[in-house]
Amino acid sequence: MFKHIFLAAAAVVFSAPALAQAVPIDVELEGIIEDYDHPTRTLTVMGMKVEITNTTVLQSPTTTRAATGLGINAWMKGVRFRGLARNGFLDGTAIVIGTWDEALRKIVATEVTMEPGENVNLSVITNNYCSNANCDASGNYLRAATKADGTYGPAMTPIRDPRLAAGTINDESGFAISLAGVNLAGRPFAAEGYYGPVEVTVTNPYASSTGTGTVVEKAFHYFIFDLVGYFPDLLVTKDALEVNAFRAQCRVGKDFEVRGHVHTTVSPTGAQVGTIGPAAGVVQVQYPVNGVLQRFSAAATAVDVGSPIGGYRIRFTPPGNTCPETIDVRWLPAANSANGAAYASTLAYPVEIRAD
């Protein structure tokens, strides 16, 4: 997560004329959050004083303080995250973006990104019980790899705290999937969150196959948990064709790129059914410029031999150096097909507009 420090800017600031003019020095820190004192608005990071102002953007990897509606103190050191020993983000990690105020002898933060920990788990599910699509109902559990004694590894538990709430579990296709009633053992995953030093109550995988027993132990608390790979047997929509987009980025005056996936109709086991395959037709990006509909197409290709899921990538130069706020993505039989003939569509997908 560490961001590049502005060494060139700092070099200029440290020259004699810059010091004489007291030009603010850009500051970036990444380190442990030791304390926060609300009356003085002082955040201590790696032993250094950081001032938090009313305009400082406080955020986590999943949300901002403003979006949660929490006050600064409640965000910083409010209720404990489950499985942690100290309140709020204390003992966590902060990335501070700000400036050095020479007159006040302190760092003034413009933005602080916080996590209780920076733990990553890329491994394999060894046991699970899921009664709903996201495997987060009461009694549901996911276990990762194994412990030192060979038993099932730590419980992977979703974070409920609004400051770092877990999202929906996905696979690499980006289509809605359901884990309900599925044995996931042996499937790889990627999770981000923290391994809590404090034991919590979790479902005991040895007590029952239906999530009724509990045990107290340390757990991995995630805000991201995604399956690594493509799993058509988990698709929620198996009886219809779908197209999605997971990236639409437009650089003004330079280029436009859209990526995503399509999938055919599939059987309960994830095998292709029907005659329209994942490489059929074209995927087309559409949006108007000065009242004229623009259409840019590319073919999709199967993500693996025999897979009912296909991937596409469309790249073009935006006409008139104009980047739209949204686009329509349609899976069509041919580039000149009428929109009414589309196999599937995703409408008003937001575009990331960049000036670089």
Side-chain angles (χ1 to χ4, degrees), residues 2-280:
F2 190 66
K3 300 180 180 179
H4 177 67
I5 297 177
F6 302 112
L7 293 178
V12 173
V13 170
F14 279 120
S15 66
L19 286 175
Q21 298 169 21
V23 176
I25 299 174
D26 291 315
V27 172
E28 296 193 22
L29 310 174
E30 181 176 5
I32 188 171
I33 302 170
E34 296 180 281
D35 199 5
Y36 173 69
D37 181 68
H38 189 62
T40 62
R41 300 293 182 89
T42 298
L43 178 69
T44 305
V45 178
M46 297 186 295
M48 289 173 281
K49 178 180 181 179
V50 178
E51 181 183 17
I52 304 300
T53 71
N54 289 333
T55 60
T56 302
V57 176
L58 301 177
Q59 60 190 6
S60 74
T62 63
T63 191
T64 64
R65 181 188 69 82
T68 66
L70 293 172
I72 294 176
N73 197 48
W75 172 274
M76 292 284 199
K77 54 191 302 186
V79 298
R80 294 182 187 179
F81 284 96
R82 188 168 181 252
L84 295 183
R86 298 185 70 191
N87 283 19
F89 289 99
L90 300 182
D91 284 345
T93 299
I95 295 178
V96 178
I97 308 296
T99 57
W100 170 249
D101 189 317
E102 176 63 28
L104 299 177
R105 303 290 295 170
K106 61 184 177 183
I107 297 167
V108 179
T110 56
E111 176 185 300
V112 183
T113 304
M114 302 176 174
E115 291 187 51
E118 293 183 274
N119 299 154
V120 175
N121 189 336
L122 305 175
S123 59
V124 176
I125 298 169
T126 48
N127 196 9
N128 74 284
Y129 168 68
C130 302
S131 65
N132 71 354
N134 211 44
C135 202
D136 56 4
S138 177
N140 286 192
Y141 66 85
L142 295 159
R143 292 275 176 161
T146 55
K147 298 177 183 176
D149 60 4
T151 58
Y152 294 125
M156 309 294 293
T157 66
I159 298 172
R160 309 291 192 187
D161 192 295
R163 293 169 293 184
L164 195 65
T168 303
I169 294 178
N170 300 295
D171 70 359
E172 292 186 33
S173 73
F175 294 111
I177 61 174
S178 174
L179 309 183
V182 180
N183 179 0
L184 300 171
R187 304 204 195 204
F189 71 87
E192 294 184 48
Y194 62 91
Y195 183 69
V198 177
E199 294 183 336
V200 296
T201 300
V202 294
T203 302
N204 184 353
Y206 292 100
S208 169
S209 61
T210 57
T212 55
T214 61
V215 65
V216 177
E217 60 184 36
K218 296 177 182 179
F220 188 103
H221 306 265
Y222 67 81
F223 62 87
I224 291 177
F225 188 102
D226 287 328
L227 298 179
V228 176
Y230 297 90
F231 300 96
D233 62 309
L234 303 180
L235 287 169
V236 170
T237 305
K238 291 184 171 68
D239 58 354
L241 305 175
E242 289 187 292
V243 60
N244 67 16
F246 63 80
R247 174 178 178 174
Q249 185 181 93
C250 182
R251 297 194 300 167
V252 179
K254 294 183 179 180
D255 52 51
F256 204 148
E257 180 177 80
V258 182
R259 296 188 185 192
H261 291 95
V262 301
H263 80 75
T264 68
T265 52
V266 300
S267 70
T269 60
Q272 177 183 330
V273 296
T275 59
I276 300 174

